[in-house]
Amino acid sequence: MDIDQILDRIYLLPEASKEALKEHITEISHPKYFCLMEADKVVPHIYFIRKGIVRAYATTEANDITFWFGSEGETIVSMKSYVEDQPGYESIELLEDCDLYRLETESLRKLFNEDIHIANWGRKFAERELVRTEELIISRQFKTALERYTDLMNQKPDLLKRVQLGHIASYLGITQVSLSRIRAEIR
């Protein structure tokens, strides 16, 4: 997915504003298993996924807990760093070789002050991230593992073919054995 498509999915900008924003975006690539963001560190960038899959996770004494997957067209952001310039909670690992677009948060803040259209784009971006987080919390609190797996199948079917079952089980908050039972039940 190209950067124009990704930016337009967030909010349609006038062409001059989009071009001004794109001047601050660079293309980068990293290999599978690269750690793009580390927990407890300020992340001064926002990333957009051109190609590949990533996971956000938190580490406990016992294991890693995956709480989000991102794929083509999605945004990778530590909201704590983005909003408050403070260390984030999550780590981001690339699950495939990834091509990304990178935008410095500080450059974006300057653009917010210079261009109302870009400021509105930033507001829509933050609103979308808030809704995504709200959906994640509600899903974890009120849906069963089977319902969460079904949602994942319906919303991101390609993810199930591209991500290790251990990460999917962690995302669902269950063991791999329980995930195997769910998958057998659905077949």
Side-chain angles (χ1 to χ4, degrees), residues 58-128:
T59 302
T60 66
E61 288 182 21
N63 54 8
D64 292 345
I65 300 170
T66 299
F67 57 86
W68 176 75
F69 294 107
S71 59
E72 289 81 4
E74 294 189 79
T75 305
I76 306 168
V77 62
S78 167
M79 287 304 284
K80 186 88 167 161
S81 292
Y82 174 72
V83 173
E84 298 181 342
D85 274 328
Q86 293 188 11
Y89 308 106
E90 66 278 275
S91 293
I92 303 288
E93 176 187 30
L94 308 186
L95 300 179
E96 297 178 344
D97 293 344
C98 287
D99 296 330
L100 307 166
Y101 299 104
R102 180 175 65 197
L103 173 60
E104 287 186 32
T105 306
E106 189 56 38
S107 297
L108 183 57
R109 287 188 186 121
K110 287 178 185 172
L111 289 170
F112 289 163
N113 292 324
E114 297 169 3
D115 186 322
I116 188 65
H117 302 292
I118 295 174
N120 282 332
W121 178 91
R123 177 182 50 81
K124 292 302 286 183
F125 166 73
E127 289 171 355
R128 286 174 52 120

Side-chain angles (χ1 to χ4, degrees), residues 125-140:
F125 166 73
E127 289 171 355
R128 286 174 52 120
E129 291 301 310
L130 176 63
V131 169
R132 183 179 76 171
T133 302
E134 182 179 67
E135 289 171 346
L136 178 66
I137 292 168
I138 289 169
S139 174
R140 286 283 180 151

